Amino acid sequence: MGEAVPDTEQKIKEAAKRVFLEYGFEGAKIRQIAEAADVNIALVNYYFRSKEQLFNSIYRETFAEFVGKMVVLLNEKTPLEVKIWKIVDRYTDFILDNQMMPAFILTQQRKEGAAFFRELDVRSIIQGSYFWKQLQEASAKGEIRAIDPLQIVISVMGSIIFPIMAGGVLSYIGTFDEQSFRDFIEARKKIIPEMIMTYLKSG
Amino acid sequence: MGEAVPDTEQKIKEAAKRVFLEYGFEGAKIRQIAEAADVNIALVNYYFRSKEQLFNSIYRETFAEFVGKMVVLLNEKTPLEVKIWKIVDRYTDFILDNQMMPAFILTQQRKEGAAFFRELDVRSIIQGSYFWKQLQEASAKGEIRAIDPLQIVISVMGSIIFPIMAGGVLSYIGTFDEQSFRDFIEARKKIIPEMIMTYLKSG
DNA sequence: TACAGTTTTAAACAACTGTTTAACAAAATT
DNA sequence: AATTTTGTTAAACAGTTGTTTAAAACTGTA
């Protein structure tokens, strides 16, 4: 909102984000980033001291935004069933808008472990969330089956993220064009909550 | 079973597989591969003409093995419910034994699309499988709810692959050590089939 | 043993990488 | 207006990369 005209630093950041997301850390070249930002290569090191620091600042920022959205979703004060529908709906849209993020985060994970997750205290965010409490309480009251809430969280996340992450492969298998891929993902907004809820309510 | 003593070419292939899986194509260096194989760097180019061809031969091989296992699983002639339990059980073990493969395949996908999937005709493998037929027929008979079989396949795959792929992050969130991570995944062998089956049977 | 083919080696090559330099331009400060 | 600070540039630097070379060691064969 009312953002200033993008200065050089911002131009580099945006270009770098695109290039890093598409090619990964090693695959992305500083000259490529500079060209994408329409800027002299020396300027990249002028504003960010090194490729590594440029990468880190971008990765943190993007990931923090990612986590931020998650916090909001997990803590909305709506009943459990409605909540799950909402989470799936909005989380799906978010991942659709940032399709390369999950693969990028998971690739990065194999290099540096869960460092950024730890920094942002993602554990507390999840386990301290209202959603987490809802699952525990509903389970204690016997409204839903007794289960580790983390199993549910992972199931929901995996169900949403995996098909989007594997978009290219999935589109080939289903003979999808862009639109039918979207339809397939859109259909999951109904399937996933139903699957989770029938499971939680049964047993 | 009675494999011959590994010759130089094989030694390089095995080292390269490890290094490529861990560091990706750009991240893996020929000198690193040669060192891991305890071999002169020139030999890598002597047996495989280039880094790219070395990578391709390994990737194809590994991926073909991956697909091969899948074919067997999908075509076993057991009843649908038992089949789903078996698929989840054995597919989980297979991914556990090749933890880096999914991330690797999905990373590769962003570079070359679904080329290898197309080569191996994975679409026909899935849609021509006995499992696919079982889902369609059970659905037609009204034994299970009407649903696109691909939605089920993707849900099962995502549920299995995602937590293993995100192993590092998951272990941090759950405060897992190696053993409790295994337990968590092991527990999913029961959860996933139950979730899928209750969903298919309801509605 | 001599010879032809294959395998292995150390060294070099050229291209590319991230990074730095030193000069120049623009903007801000005095 | 003079001067300092900030932003930008082309060029170079040193290290790494994938790849090639040319000679050596090894293998089997005549």
Side-chain angles (χ1 to χ4, degrees):
Chain A
M1 332 214 159
E3 192 118 333
V5 177
D7 56 341
T8 306
E9 187 171 347
Q10 199 55 33
K11 258 169 56 186
I12 295 174
K13 231 174 183 168
E14 282 163 16
K17 183 176 173 179
R18 274 181 278 126
V19 177
F20 274 133
L21 276 175
E22 184 165 357
Y23 296 94
F25 180 75
E26 334 262 356
K29 312 299 177 189
I30 294 231
R31 280 165 180 81
Q32 186 186 7
I33 292 170
E35 194 188 8
D38 193 28
V39 132
N40 189 286
I41 50 166
L43 279 182
V44 180
N45 278 45
Y46 175 76
Y47 284 104
F48 311 85
R49 296 160 48 88
S50 69
K51 183 187 182 182
E52 186 135 356
Q53 287 191 43
L54 169 62
F55 176 82
N56 276 344
S57 78
I58 286 168
Y59 185 51
R60 276 163 202 265
E61 199 172 88
T62 311
F63 183 65
E65 184 199 340
F66 203 80
V67 172
K69 298 260 187 182
M70 205 169 72
V71 175
V72 175
L73 279 176
L74 291 177
N75 287 293
E76 286 187 359
K77 297 281 189 302
T78 44
L80 184 58
E81 179 148 12
V82 179
K83 180 77 149 291
I84 290 181
W85 281 80
K86 269 191 125 175
I87 287 180
V88 171
D89 181 81
R90 291 166 60 185
Y91 200 54
T92 298
D93 287 339
F94 180 65
I95 305 274
L96 270 178
D97 288 341
N98 300 271
Q99 295 201 27
M100 281 167 305
M101 272 296 293
F104 186 68
I105 288 177
L106 292 180
T107 303
Q108 212 49 30
Q109 166 207 233
R110 82 181 158 195
K111 272 195 229 154
E112 24 185 4
F116 283 144
F117 287 75
R118 210 169 288 117
E119 276 179 38
L120 292 175
D121 204 8
V122 176
R123 183 191 297 155
S124 304
I125 286 173
I126 293 177
Q127 296 185 1
S129 73
Y130 184 62
F131 181 59
W132 192 269
K133 239 167 283 171
Q134 282 178 298
L135 282 171
Q136 285 179 322
E137 284 174 10
S139 172
K141 283 189 206 154
E143 294 166 8
I144 62 171
R145 76 163 66 204
I147 190 174
D148 178 0
L150 190 51
Q151 291 281 7
I152 299 302
V153 171
I154 291 294
S155 294
V156 172
M157 289 186 63
S159 296
I160 295 171
I161 292 177
F162 181 77
I164 297 175
M165 212 164 138
V169 173
L170 174 56
S171 287
Y172 153 70
I173 292 176
T175 331
F176 292 157
D177 56 21
E178 184 63 32
Q179 186 53 48
S180 37
F181 171 70
R182 295 251 167 192
D183 293 344
F184 184 88
I185 298 297
E186 205 63 31
R188 292 185 70 74
K189 288 185 178 176
K190 199 183 157 204
I191 294 170
I192 296 169
E194 273 182 8
M195 194 181 297
I196 297 287
M197 285 313 300
T198 56
Y199 174 69
L200 287 178
K201 283 179 182 164
S202 79
Chain B
M1 8 176 136
E3 192 116 334
V5 177
D7 57 340
T8 305
E9 187 172 348
Q10 199 56 33
K11 257 169 57 186
I12 295 173
K13 232 173 183 169
E14 282 163 16
K17 182 176 173 180
R18 275 182 277 127
V19 177
F20 275 132
L21 277 175
E22 183 165 357
Y23 297 94
F25 181 75
E26 333 263 356
K29 312 299 176 188
I30 293 232
R31 280 167 180 79
Q32 186 186 8
I33 292 170
E35 194 188 8
D38 193 29
V39 133
N40 189 286
I41 50 165
L43 279 182
V44 180
N45 279 44
Y46 175 76
Y47 284 105
F48 311 85
R49 298 159 49 86
S50 68
K51 183 187 183 183
E52 186 136 356
Q53 287 191 41
L54 169 61
F55 176 82
N56 277 344
S57 77
I58 285 168
Y59 185 51
R60 277 161 201 266
E61 200 172 86
T62 311
F63 183 64
E65 185 199 339
F66 202 79
V67 172
K69 297 263 186 181
M70 204 169 72
V71 175
V72 175
L73 279 176
L74 291 177
N75 287 293
E76 285 187 1
K77 298 281 188 303
T78 44
L80 184 60
E81 178 149 12
V82 179
K83 179 78 148 288
I84 289 181
W85 281 80
K86 269 192 125 175
I87 288 179
V88 171
D89 181 80
R90 291 165 61 185
Y91 199 56
T92 298
D93 288 338
F94 180 64
I95 305 275
L96 269 177
D97 288 341
N98 299 272
Q99 295 202 25
M100 281 167 306
M101 271 297 293
F104 185 69
I105 289 176
L106 292 180
T107 302
Q108 212 51 29
Q109 166 207 234
R110 81 180 160 198
K111 272 195 228 154
E112 24 184 2
F116 284 144
F117 286 75
R118 210 170 288 117
E119 276 179 37
L120 291 175
D121 204 8
V122 176
R123 183 191 296 152
S124 305
I125 287 174
I126 292 177
Q127 296 185 1
S129 74
Y130 184 63
F131 181 59
W132 193 269
K133 239 167 284 173
Q134 282 178 299
L135 283 171
Q136 284 179 323
E137 284 174 11
S139 172
K141 283 188 208 155
E143 294 167 8
I144 61 171
R145 75 164 65 206
I147 189 174
D148 178 358
L150 190 51
Q151 290 281 8
I152 299 301
V153 170
I154 290 295
S155 295
V156 172
M157 288 185 64
S159 296
I160 294 171
I161 292 177
F162 181 78
I164 296 175
M165 213 166 137
V169 174
L170 175 58
S171 288
Y172 153 71
I173 292 175
T175 332
F176 293 157
D177 55 21
E178 184 64 31
Q179 186 54 49
S180 35
F181 170 71
R182 295 254 167 190
D183 293 344
F184 184 88
I185 298 297
E186 204 63 30
R188 293 185 70 74
K189 287 184 177 176
K190 199 183 158 203
I191 294 170
I192 296 168
E194 273 181 6
M195 193 181 298
I196 297 286
M197 285 314 300
T198 56
Y199 173 69
L200 287 178
K201 284 179 183 165
S202 80

